[in-house]
Amino acid sequence: MKRRGVYLLLGALMFSLLLVGCGSEQSNTVKKQIIGIDPGAGLMKATGKAITEYQLKDWELVEGSGAAMTAALTKAYENKEPIIITGWTPHWKFSKYDLKYLEDPKKVFGEAEDINTIVRTDLKKDHPVAYALLDSFHWEPADMESVMVAIQEGKDPKVAAQEWVKNNEDKVDKWLTDLQPVSGEKITLAYVAWDSEIASTNVVAVALEKLGYQVELSQVEAGPMWAGIASGDADAMVAGWLPTTHADYYQEFQGKFEDLGANLEGTKIGLVVPSYMEISSIEDLNK
């Protein structure tokens, strides 16, 4: 009987190890969790809608932060474990890891988005030079990703931004064309703690400092960011993901801010998995 008990124990252990070893094939049964970011993000709302639309009744959307999400991704990727995250591009994780978006046949996450520059209503009157620079600010996804990668590899965000500005003087000079320097005027930029927005906000801050501004960076969640611009507590942000991610905030505060248009085109949001996982669509999660 003792020998039989040992065999049963060994059998159970081998079965458990088999489940761990077959992580890529168990993507729809192991840890039915989607690792998300801060609860106020439009990406989280879209993911909640996706759970409903695709009838993912047994799945849990885990709230957290961008940093917590990428930490979970890194751990899972290094161990070749299955993981499903809320993702967006541009983002350094696509440069560091081999990842893929899950197909979204119901178009819950919408099409490609832009990132818009949003300023308080009186900014042009109060700080015309800063307004002109913000209105001219535009760059490409590859630009943003290069700054994000530098930060992710350990550089201080401001240092990474300064180096990018120094190495891209031709682009930055276009933002500064015909603008006269100021003498220590203060500007507050609001942003969310997403790697993409940390990169863009620091780059704009460095450009404003070249014009003589004292720039204060205010890190908040998405709702307070939009509310801060609407109330005038913050002067500007370069972090408005539209038309999907921040649609609710755009509508809520309509008329209390000025939209200067896109500073970056071609973003995307959705559910992301490592390429070693043998699934291709959100629909696969329900199998």
Side-chain angles (χ1 to χ4, degrees):
M1 291 294 292
K2 289 183 178 179
R3 183 176 296 179
R4 182 173 180 269
V6 170
Y7 288 158
L8 289 173
L9 180 60
L10 287 173
L13 179 60
M14 289 177 67
F15 180 71
S16 298
L17 290 172
L18 180 62
L19 283 179
V20 173
C22 296
S24 63
E25 296 179 359
Q26 299 292 329
S27 59
N28 61 339
T29 58
V30 178
K31 291 185 179 179
K32 288 192 172 183
Q33 294 181 334
I34 298 172
I35 308 303
I37 53 174
D38 48 290
L43 175 55
M44 293 291 280
K45 180 179 178 180
T47 303
K49 183 179 179 182
I51 289 174
T52 299
E53 291 291 325
Y54 288 97
Q55 298 182 358
L56 306 178
K57 298 177 182 178
D58 299 328
W59 286 81
E60 175 191 6
L61 176 58
V62 181
E63 297 178 351
S65 65
M69 177 272 290
T70 53
L73 171 64
T74 298
K75 181 179 179 181
Y77 196 93
E78 290 175 349
N79 294 303
K80 286 290 187 282
E81 295 173 345
I83 186 170
I84 300 164
I85 63 171
T86 55
W88 65 94
T89 45
H91 195 282
W92 60 262
K93 61 182 178 284
F94 286 91
S95 298
K96 186 170 183 178
Y97 305 123
D98 186 8
L99 306 174
K100 62 185 178 182
Y101 279 98
L102 293 181
E103 296 172 6
D104 177 21
K106 296 181 183 291
K107 302 297 182 184
V108 175
F109 289 99
E111 304 294 343
E113 290 196 286
D114 296 335
I115 305 179
N116 284 26
T117 299
I118 308 294
V119 303
R120 63 178 177 85
T121 53
D122 293 330
L123 185 67
K124 187 174 184 178
K125 179 183 68 176
D126 297 338
H127 297 290
V129 175
Y131 178 94
L133 186 151
L134 288 160
D135 195 27
S136 298
F137 170 59
H138 184 278
W139 61 347
E140 302 298 328
D143 297 320
M144 177 183 275
E145 286 180 347
S146 67
V147 180
M148 283 193 287
V149 169
I151 295 171
Q152 192 274 329
E153 291 177 346
K155 286 187 178 178
D156 179 83
K158 184 169 184 177
V159 172
Q162 289 172 332
E163 291 182 355
W164 185 89
V165 168
K166 181 179 179 181
N167 294 331
N168 293 272
E169 291 183 351
D170 55 335
K171 293 182 179 181
V172 177
D173 285 346
K174 291 180 180 178
W175 309 341
L176 307 180
T177 300
D178 298 328
L179 298 184
Q180 296 300 314
V182 300
S183 181
E185 295 181 20
K186 295 182 179 180
I187 289 288
T188 299
L189 301 179
Y191 69 103
V192 289
W194 297 358
D195 298 280
S196 52
E197 311 323 311
I198 292 171
S200 59
T201 305
N202 274 274
V203 165
V204 170
V206 171
L208 285 166
E209 288 172 349
K210 287 174 67 70
L211 289 171
Y213 282 97
Q214 293 184 34
V215 183
E216 178 182 352
L217 303 185
S218 177
Q219 179 184 311
V220 291
E221 293 188 356
M225 177 178 69
W226 283 87
I229 300 297
S231 67
D233 290 336
D235 293 300
M237 64 167 168
V238 291
W241 285 61
L242 298 165
T244 303
T245 304
H246 290 158
D248 289 348
Y249 301 122
Y250 197 94
Q251 294 175 6
E252 179 181 354
F253 297 108
Q254 185 75 56
K256 298 180 180 179
F257 61 83
E258 185 177 354
D259 183 353
L260 299 185
N263 59 63
L264 184 147
E265 293 94 4
T267 70
K268 184 177 181 178
I269 62 173
L271 298 186
V272 173
V273 301
S275 292
Y276 57 72
M277 290 180 63
E278 297 178 1
I279 55 176
S280 59
S281 171
I282 299 176
E283 291 179 323
D284 295 337
L285 302 178
N286 208 17
K287 295 179 181 179

